[in-house]
Amino acid sequence: QVQLVESGGGLVQAGDSLRLSCAVGGRTFGNYQMGWFRQVPVKEREFVAGVSKSGGRTRYAESVQGRFTISRDNTKNTLYLQMNSLKPGDTAVYYCAARTPMDPMAILSTSERYGYWGQGTQVTVSS
């Protein structure tokens, strides 16, 4: 079993920055491809960013490209999402997710392909 616990959310103003963290326990963190998703009420969960098992490859949604940076520290079993130049449209509950990839370089954006999820952390950006 894998446990994922997000932290770092909060209320900020447009243009501010936040860093989300996701602590992973239970299994070898380096075995998992990791992702960040976000969700607002009445909408489907949306892919934000993903990182390969080693951290050598990343992938971003077009809406956050150039503003957000995903990274991982396999020695600390922790996933990060650095969010800069935040916009009101970034307001959502942010979730970290893990999956066991067949291809070690693959980064998937489909939420159904991730088997493990955290409880989410709220990010609210005021205008």
Side-chain angles (χ1 to χ4, degrees):
Q1 191 71 1
V2 178
Q3 297 87 38
L4 292 77
V5 180
E6 302 96 336
S7 61
L11 172 63
V12 297
Q13 293 186 329
D16 286 350
S17 298
L18 273 178
R19 188 175 82 156
L20 304 183
S21 299
C22 175
V24 180
R27 295 286 178 91
T28 305
F29 180 57
N31 288 344
Y32 297 98
Q33 186 250 300
M34 302 298 297
W36 286 100
F37 290 76
R38 65 188 182 187
Q39 189 170 23
V40 296
V42 305
K43 293 187 71 174
E44 292 188 356
R45 199 161 290 188
E46 172 190 32
F47 173 78
V48 175
V51 62
S52 62
K53 295 197 317 182
S54 68
R57 286 193 67 225
T58 58
R59 178 180 177 182
Y60 296 93
E62 186 174 338
S63 59
V64 306
Q65 182 78 46
R67 299 188 298 122
F68 291 10
T69 303
I70 188 172
S71 62
R72 65 189 298 163
D73 186 338
N74 285 358
T75 67
K76 296 182 178 180
N77 291 0
T78 304
L79 176 73
Y80 302 99
L81 184 68
Q82 178 66 43
M83 305 186 294
N84 298 330
S85 302
L86 282 161
K87 304 174 181 180
D90 296 318
T91 295
V93 177
Y94 284 71
Y95 299 89
C96 67
R99 58 179 292 270
T100 305
M102 298 296 291
D103 177 354
M105 298 303 289
I107 301 172
L108 300 187
S109 61
T110 306
S111 61
E112 290 80 3
R113 302 295 296 272
Y114 288 76
Y116 305 99
W117 292 86
Q119 82 289 348
T121 185
Q122 176 71 46
V123 172
T124 303
V125 185
S126 63
S127 58

